[in-house]
Amino acid sequence: MIELNPFVIFFAAIFTNNMIFSNFLGMCSFIAVSREIPTSLGLGQAVTFVLACTTIINYLIYHYVLLPLHLEYLRFIVFIISIAAFVQLLEMIVERYLPNLYYALGIFLPLITVNCAILGVSLFMIIRNYNLLQSIGFSIGSGIGWTLAIVALAGIRQKMKKASVPKGLEGPGITLIITGLMALAFIGFSGIVQIQ
């Protein structure tokens, strides 16, 4: 098996293996928060930061605590606890130093804890046997790809406010259609590189 360069994994995580468009992970906050670009960008940055930090934390916990003690079967619980603790810490910091972003994100900042994209990256890192550098590249690339997707959707949704949309498609209906079309567009990148 050829070991992939961390930069290849980074770019693949943004374009060809985007968490939203190829794995459909993190859809709840993706659809709910993508109404305005500044809020979407703020959440995307928070998700990217949480992804990068929790992936490193979970990598170290898995390889230096769970594996030596033969407790790999606890990885789901341990990963969720470490993600929840980190997000709680981040929430307190954002509330203290960035109150405008905190109030704009509202309930969705604590919901980063249950964003399945965060847990998915930590699990993919284990399943794909990534080393630490590959895991960092994958997590940051996944976060940037998620941010790119949510900001693009927010821009389209802002333009759609001025468009005439049939009554039955307003809201989540047109949002899911747009997301599907964006996923089809990202399939065009799939010939570049695939990570499995």
Side-chain angles (χ1 to χ4, degrees):
M1 185 172 134
I2 299 170
E3 185 159 323
L4 292 171
N5 186 305
F7 290 110
V8 171
I9 294 172
F10 170 78
F11 286 110
I14 295 172
F15 297 109
T16 62
N17 287 79
N18 187 296
M19 278 292 152
I20 290 289
F21 300 134
S22 67
N23 298 307
F24 302 105
L25 295 176
M27 292 295 288
C28 51
S29 53
F30 174 74
I31 290 173
V33 181
S34 61
R35 294 190 178 131
E36 295 179 1
I37 292 175
T39 308
S40 298
L41 185 60
L43 182 64
Q45 290 170 342
V47 166
T48 303
F49 181 71
V50 169
L51 269 172
C53 294
T54 58
T55 301
I56 293 169
I57 292 166
N58 287 337
Y59 180 90
L60 296 174
I61 289 171
Y62 184 77
H63 287 282
Y64 295 104
V65 177
L66 297 180
L67 276 181
L69 297 174
H70 304 289
L71 298 172
E72 307 88 33
Y73 58 90
L74 292 176
R75 69 178 176 255
F76 291 101
I77 295 168
V78 172
F79 288 177
I80 290 170
I81 290 169
S82 69
I83 290 167
F86 187 82
V87 170
Q88 184 63 43
L89 178 66
L90 178 66
E91 183 182 1
M92 290 187 297
I93 292 169
V94 169
E95 183 180 17
R96 173 81 170 106
Y97 296 107
L98 301 167
N100 291 338
L101 178 60
Y102 178 79
Y103 291 113
L105 294 176
I107 190 69
F108 296 104
L109 188 58
L111 286 178
I112 290 176
T113 302
V114 293
N115 186 333
C116 48
I118 308 290
L119 180 60
V121 168
S122 291
L123 293 175
F124 283 144
M125 152 193 85
I126 301 303
I127 293 166
R128 296 174 180 169
N129 293 318
Y130 287 160
N131 62 35
L132 183 59
L133 285 177
Q134 290 173 323
S135 298
I136 292 169
F138 181 60
S139 66
I140 294 171
S142 294
I144 291 171
W146 198 89
T147 303
L148 175 70
I150 195 170
V151 169
L153 181 62
I156 293 170
R157 286 180 77 176
Q158 280 187 328
K159 290 283 187 187
M160 292 289 293
K161 286 180 184 176
K162 298 176 183 169
S164 59
V165 178
K167 257 316 190 203
L169 290 179
E170 288 179 357
I174 195 70
T175 303
L176 290 172
I177 291 170
I178 292 168
T179 302
L181 293 172
M182 290 171 67
L184 287 172
F186 269 69
I187 287 175
F189 295 117
S190 64
I192 299 172
V193 67
Q194 287 289 324
I195 53 175
Q196 298 300 333

